Amino acid sequence: MKILYLLFAVFLLLFQATSGSADPLYADTVECRSQGKFCRAGACPPTFAATGTCHGGLLHCCSK
C-alpha cells in the first residue's frame, strides 16, 4: 500500500507539466478568441449565436 503514495506522486509530477495548454493549436480557435468570442462544445447558450467554428470544426464559436 505504501507504493500507491509513491505512484500517485510520480503521476502528479508527470501530468502537472502537460495539463491543459493555454496556446490554441487551430487557426479558427485563434481567430474566434481574438475577436472576444468563446468556443463551446454543443450549442451556444440562448443569448449567444454561433458565428463560426473552433478546434478544426469540432466546436462552435459563440458571440452575442
Side-chain angles (χ1 to χ4, degrees), residues 17-26 29-30 33 55:
T18 60
S19 64
S21 176
D23 300 326
L25 300 175
Y26 299 99
T29 304
V30 173
R33 291 188 178 166
H55 294 292

Side-chain angles (χ1 to χ4, degrees), residues 28 32 37-38 40 44 49-54 57 59-63:
D28 56 352
C32 178
K37 303 173 186 175
F38 63 95
R40 181 168 175 162
C44 295
T51 58
T53 61
C54 296
L59 303 176
H60 296 282
C61 181
C62 301
S63 69

